[in-house]
Amino acid sequence: MNATIVNVSTQILDIPTIRPHKMSVATMHNQCLVLVRIKTSDGIEGIGEATTIGGLNYGGESPESIKTNIDRYFAPLITGQSATRLASLRQRINKTIKDNRFAKCAIETALYDAHAKRLGVPLHALFGGAIHDEISVAWTLASGDTQKDIAEAQQMLESRRHCIFKLKVGMRAPKDDLQHIRAIKKAVGDDVSIRIDVNQGWSETEALRQLRPLADAGVDLIEQPIHEKNLAGLQRLTAQGIVPIMADESLKGTEDGFALASAHCANVFAIKIEQAGGLQNARDLIGIAQAADIALYGGTMLEGSIATIAAAHLFSTISKLEWGTEMFGPLLLKDEILATPLDYSDFTLKIPTGPGLGVELDEEKVSFYTRP
Ligand code: MUC
Ligand code: MG
C-alpha cells in the first residue's frame, strides 16, 4: 500500500454529438472531453474526465485551460506523492490551487478509480457501497424544433430508454416556449414527467409571470430560471410554491450549497460532480441538501462515459434521489470510447460491478478522437 503517483497525463478528445444540442447558453455540435490518466508505482492506471459545455459558455474553465492547468500545476504537485492517501492529496491540491473545480474533479476521479482498482472494489465502495444497482435517467429534448423533440421523445419511450424529459427553454420568447412545452406535454401524455431548464435565461419578473402557466402546462420542475447570483430571486420564486425550483448553475460547491440551503432558495439541488469540484465535494453537498430537506437530482455537464459513470457510482450510494438523474451524456455522442458501452436499459443506467469505475477504454477510439 505504498504506491506513489508516477505520471499524470491529459488528452483532449473531440466527439461529435448525434444532433445539435440547443440551450439558452450554447448550441453544441460536438463535445470535448479532457481525459486524465494517473499512473502509480504499483502498475495501476486511474482515469478521470473533465468536460465543459460549449467551451467557456457555461463556466470559467475550458477544455484547453483544464488541460494546461493539469499539465502545468496539478501534475507536478501530486507526482511522487502517495497515491493511497486520497484525503491528503485533496488537501495538498486545495491548499495550492484555487477554483478549477472541473480539473480537480477529473484528477480526483482518476485517483479514486486507481485506488478502488488497487483494493479490488467498485468505486462506490469508497463512498460506503451502492444502495441501488441502477439509477433512473432522464433525457433532454433540445433539438430546437418542437416536432423533432416530440418524435425523439416517442422513440425514447418506445425503446424504454427514458420516460422523463427535460426541455431546454429560455432562448425563445416565453410565450413561444410555453407553446413548445404544451405541445410536447400533450404528445407524451400525463404519465410522463416534463421538467424545464432555463439556464438562467429569464429575468425574475419573467420567471414569476411564467410560474402559473407552466404549472397549468404540467411542468413538474423548473431548473435555474434566473441568474445564478440572484439567490434572493430564487428564494422568492421558491416561496411561491407553484412549481418546485431546482438550483443548478448557482451551486458551485459546498459554500454555495450552504448559502442556498440556509435561505431555502430552492426545493431541489442538481448535484454535479464537476460543478461541485469532485466526488467528495459532491457528497458533502448532498449532505447539506439532506440536512436542509432539499430534494436531490443527479445532474450532468453532458459528460462522456467516464465522468458519467463516476457520478453514477456516487449517486448509487445515496438513499434517495427524489428527482432521479440525467446521466445520459454518452448517449448524446455519436461514438463510444469504452470497450463495452455503459448499460442503459429499462429507463435506467446500471452501476458497473468491476473494480474502480468498472469501465475500460477502447484505446483505438481514444486515439482516433484525440486532438492532434
Ligand atoms: C444543464 O444546464 O443542466 C444537462 C443536461 C442538458 O441537456 O444540459 C446540461 C446542462
Ligand atoms: Mg441545468
Side-chain angles (χ1 to χ4, degrees), residues 2 17 27 52 84 123 151 178 209 227 238 333 372:
N2 270 333
T17 54
T27 298
T52 73
T84 62
L123 192 148
L178 263 176
R209 209 178 285 139
H227 194 275
T238 303
L333 304 181

Side-chain angles (χ1 to χ4, degrees), residues 21 53 58 140 166 168 197 199 223 248 272 300 326:
H21 198 66
I53 291 183
Y58 204 91
T140 298
K166 165 160 140 176
K168 287 287 184 180
D197 188 357
N199 284 117
E223 180 172 344
D248 179 9
K272 299 185 172 180
T300 179
E326 57 181 16

Side-chain angles (χ1 to χ4, degrees), residues 53-326:
I53 291 183
L56 284 171
N57 281 71
Y58 204 91
E61 288 174 83
S62 69
E64 296 76 15
S65 78
I66 291 167
K67 179 171 172 26
T68 301
N69 290 343
I70 290 179
D71 294 349
R72 171 72 180 81
Y73 296 98
F74 287 78
L77 187 67
I78 60 172
T79 302
Q81 300 294 311
S82 165
T84 62
R85 301 175 65 177
L86 301 180
S88 155
L89 282 163
R90 194 164 164 252
Q91 186 190 31
R92 185 176 176 85
I93 290 169
N94 284 333
K95 195 170 165 208
T96 314
I97 300 175
K98 302 285 167 256
D99 301 328
N100 286 279
R101 288 166 292 115
F102 288 35
K104 283 178 181 170
C105 179
I107 291 278
E108 194 189 46
T109 302
L111 290 169
Y112 270 86
D113 180 38
H115 195 50
K117 281 174 176 158
R118 178 172 300 114
L119 298 174
V121 297
L123 192 148
H124 61 67
L126 303 182
F127 288 91
I131 297 175
H132 313 286
D133 297 330
E134 55 190 30
I135 52 175
S136 84
V137 182
W139 177 256
T140 298
L141 299 169
S143 73
D145 179 285
T146 307
Q147 291 314 315
K148 277 192 193 154
D149 281 358
I150 289 174
E152 200 171 282
Q154 278 161 347
Q155 189 216 324
M156 298 298 177
L157 289 164
E158 272 157 33
S159 58
R160 298 182 62 77
R161 261 233 334 241
H162 309 278
C163 57
I164 298 171
F165 299 103
K166 165 160 140 176
L167 277 46
K168 287 287 184 180
V169 301
M171 55 267 190
R172 307 175 183 89
K175 70 168 179 21
D176 297 334
D177 270 341
L178 263 176
Q179 266 182 14
H180 172 74
I181 295 163
R182 284 190 190 118
I184 293 178
K185 181 71 188 171
K186 189 166 171 232
V188 296
D190 281 348
D191 293 345
V192 173
S193 178
I194 295 290
R195 297 104 185 251
I196 60 163
D197 188 357
V198 194
N199 284 117
Q200 314 180 62
W202 292 336
S203 68
E204 186 183 340
T205 319
E206 277 172 329
L208 252 178
R209 209 178 285 139
Q210 290 301 307
L211 286 179
R212 182 56 65 195
L214 287 169
D216 293 345
V219 169
D220 291 333
L221 182 67
I222 304 176
E223 180 172 344
Q224 198 69 49
I226 59 173
H227 194 275
E228 62 185 72
K229 299 276 188 229
N230 187 1
L231 300 193
L234 282 174
Q235 185 192 40
R236 288 187 282 270
L237 292 170
T238 303
Q240 295 286 317
I242 299 174
V243 183
I245 302 292
M246 178 155 79
D248 179 9
E249 286 93 321
S250 296
L251 267 181
K252 295 188 170 73
T254 45
E255 289 84 359
D256 285 349
F258 184 67
L260 267 84
S262 311
H264 209 76
C265 299
N267 304 100
V268 187
F269 278 3
I271 306 292
K272 299 185 172 180
I273 60 169
E274 291 199 85
Q275 287 277 56
L279 291 159
Q280 187 58 58
N281 269 7
R283 184 63 191 88
D284 292 346
L285 189 52
I286 288 167
I288 292 171
Q290 287 170 326
D293 200 11
I294 289 174
L296 294 167
Y297 180 65
T300 179
M301 289 300 294
L302 301 174
E303 291 126 337
S305 309
I306 299 154
T308 295
I309 209 61
H313 273 278
L314 176 66
F315 297 152
S316 75
T317 69
I318 307 307
S319 54
K320 230 166 146 194
L321 284 166
E322 292 87 342
W323 292 85
T325 84
E326 57 181 16

